[in-house]
Amino acid sequence: MINFNVYIGYDAREDIAAKVCRHSILTRTDKLCPPKVEFLKSENIPEFTRQKEPNQATDFTYTRFMIPFLEGYRDTFSVFCDCDFLFQADVMNLILMIDKAKAISVCMHPPYVPYSLIKMDGIPQHPMKRKNWASLIVFNNSHPSNKRLTVDYVNNVMPGRRLHHFDWLEDNEIGSIPLEWNTLDNYYHLSEPQAIHYTDGGPWFQNYKHTMYSQQWWTEYDDFINTSKEPRTLSIDA
């Protein structure tokens, strides 16, 4: 039995995205033994005291690197994903396929140029090394190298992008996940994505209602609304 849980990066500006993401995970996992899925919020981590940076896009930009600490560096695996993900397959399949000896596993996206300098609700795009690699991470929480992710390190390492470059690890400690698990909407044309990432902006934003993989999101949104009984606030109409 593999012990694992899921953290979804949460930002209040994209509350509906996070809820639909969670729904997409829970409806595809074992109903008898579902993983614990929780929103990662800085307000719930008193040890996280890093000051917000001018170019910080979301509340969870850096909190994702607190996960091994939050898990007590125990013998568990934790999946982190940005809130703008939509899972199309059982996340357990992801856990089963990774190299368990690695400290983390990620989709190693090739370098690319974003279509827009501004994404989502006016957030600037920032070209960077290993862009989007940290948007989906499977942490091996007990790996000795992840013990370098101390509270002090996450709160104070500068510049902060060193965390997104996985600066605490050697490259051979980073495992590779197929791109199907982090399919960038409008960039990758994959017939069977396992998880879709609406990296520039999801259908919950007016300018991204109709994208390559938007219909999958609308279908999930409809199912979420129907089962949760939350009020419908979005429409597919342009």
Side-chain angles (χ1 to χ4, degrees):
M1 184 69 176
I2 301 173
N3 294 319
F4 81 101
N5 54 14
V6 182
Y7 289 88
I8 299 172
Y10 183 87
D11 193 295
R13 295 169 299 178
E14 296 184 77
D15 175 75
I16 189 60
K19 289 176 177 176
V20 172
C21 176
R22 179 175 61 187
H23 182 77
S24 75
I25 294 170
L26 292 175
T27 56
R28 290 168 174 81
T29 53
D30 188 341
K31 302 299 186 297
L32 296 177
C33 189
K36 181 181 179 183
V37 181
E38 60 183 290
F39 295 147
L40 187 65
K41 300 180 181 181
S42 62
E43 65 191 62
N44 295 335
I45 311 173
E47 296 87 357
F48 181 74
T49 58
R50 190 180 184 97
Q51 295 298 305
K52 188 171 183 178
E53 299 177 4
N55 64 347
Q56 184 172 328
T58 67
D59 180 69
F60 53 85
T61 296
Y62 299 113
T63 52
R64 71 193 74 189
F65 303 105
M66 294 285 288
I67 289 175
F69 163 77
L70 294 175
E71 290 296 312
Y73 307 103
R74 294 177 296 116
D75 187 18
T76 59
F77 289 84
S78 295
V79 178
F80 167 84
C81 69
D82 287 1
C83 63
D84 53 0
F85 266 69
L86 184 75
F87 284 80
Q88 301 289 278
D90 188 340
V91 71
M92 173 59 89
N93 295 339
L94 173 59
I95 297 295
L96 292 174
M97 72 181 302
I98 62 168
D99 183 344
K100 309 297 189 297
K102 302 294 185 180
I104 65 170
S105 296
V106 299
C107 293
M108 299 180 177
H109 298 281
Y112 72 97
V113 178
Y115 292 141
S116 173
L117 297 178
I118 303 294
K119 65 176 181 176
M120 299 185 189
D121 51 350
I123 297 174
Q125 291 269 27
H126 296 289
M128 61 184 294
K129 173 186 174 184
R130 295 180 171 176
K131 186 171 179 63
N132 272 316
W133 285 28
S135 58
L136 175 73
I137 307 173
V138 181
F139 287 97
N140 178 353
N141 294 308
S142 65
H143 193 283
S145 294
N146 283 335
K147 293 180 180 177
R148 299 174 189 147
L149 278 180
T150 63
V151 170
D152 180 69
Y153 185 78
V154 175
N155 281 332
N156 297 300
V157 63
M158 294 295 290
R161 62 179 174 271
R162 288 175 59 183
L163 290 164
H164 287 262
H165 297 166
F166 314 119
D167 200 47
W168 75 94
L169 299 173
E170 300 293 333
D171 283 356
N172 63 10
E173 295 176 307
I174 304 173
S176 180
I177 298 171
L179 294 179
E180 282 81 0
W181 285 95
N182 196 338
T183 301
L184 304 183
D185 185 31
N186 279 345
Y187 292 91
Y188 299 168
H189 302 183
L190 304 179
S191 59
E192 295 185 4
Q194 304 298 288
I196 300 165
H197 182 191
Y198 299 93
T199 179
D200 285 349
W204 53 95
F205 291 116
Q206 183 65 34
N207 293 338
Y208 296 92
K209 286 191 171 185
H210 304 284
T211 62
M212 174 165 293
Y213 295 111
S214 62
Q215 188 54 55
Q216 286 89 332
W217 192 88
W218 286 113
T219 299
E220 198 75 31
Y221 173 73
D222 287 343
D223 189 61
F224 167 70
I225 293 298
N226 291 335
T227 56
S228 69
K229 307 304 181 183
E230 288 207 10
R232 179 177 295 276
T233 59
L234 298 175
S235 170
I236 196 171
D237 297 331

